Amino acid sequence: MSRSARLLDLLQILRTHRRPVSGVALAEATGVSLRTLYRDIATLQAQGADITGAPGLGYVLNPGFLLPPIMLSSEEIEALVLGARWVRANTDDRLKQSAAHALAKIAAVLPGDLRRELETSALLVPNTRRKESPERDVAALRDAIKAGVKLDIAYRDERAQETQRRIWPVALGYFEGLRILVAWCELREGFRHFRIDRMIDVTPTQEICPRRGEVLLAEWRRENGIVHDL
């Protein structure tokens, strides 16, 4: 592996962690000695990568440093194409359009051979998505999560019983043919999972959720034993 490729791998590893990663772990991941790892860190810092940390404390790549897309590997391109095609086949119109725009931006800066790989990828995604009613509610739910506002919903459960709920939206789960909203329910005083297709009505309120979205998401993950490194 060339040194430039090794430096790129090191950046990729750092970019996938929000918390400091030890020099030993980074050296093992990149297949070099600890001394070489420290030199590589220093080289990246000199090139403008905002890496903070020190031996014994670990290292973290701060947000804002962009990797050059021309360095994407063939399999990384396939992963991006597959993910974007899934989004275009299984989400709402706004996300579909954003996925298409993202691929177009990546294609614009790729060299010719890699651009052809992106445009001719043979990885296909079937459209297994159910039609939500109305579809615009999915985008509205995403907006509410970002804004951190409470929602009033009319919900029909599996026994066809209707209830009125005030909820704090936390996350959206995109499953095969099914969409789930994770939310804190004031009626049940706990996290609940609401199927989008069972929502009769969704009304954003002017009330801000008492706890930030990232705090609620972390609480839900702990409660469900979900580990998330990104």
Side-chain angles (χ1 to χ4, degrees), residues 29-105:
T30 53
V32 299
S33 68
L34 195 56
R35 174 179 288 185
T36 299
L37 183 279
Y38 291 148
R39 285 202 299 265
D40 288 348
I41 291 286
T43 297
L44 290 173
Q45 289 172 328
Q47 292 176 354
D50 188 8
I51 300 173
T52 55
L57 298 176
Y59 297 90
V60 63
L61 177 64
N62 296 312
F65 185 78
L66 302 178
L67 298 177
I70 59 171
M71 298 299 290
L72 292 174
S73 70
S74 177
E75 286 193 345
E76 288 169 339
I77 289 173
E78 284 190 325
L80 288 173
V81 171
L82 184 61
R85 286 180 177 173
W86 189 94
V87 169
R88 289 165 64 179
N90 293 282
T91 60
D92 58 84
D93 289 341
R94 279 167 49 188
L95 279 184
K96 288 179 185 178
Q97 188 176 49
S98 295
H101 288 172
L103 281 184
K105 289 178 180 178

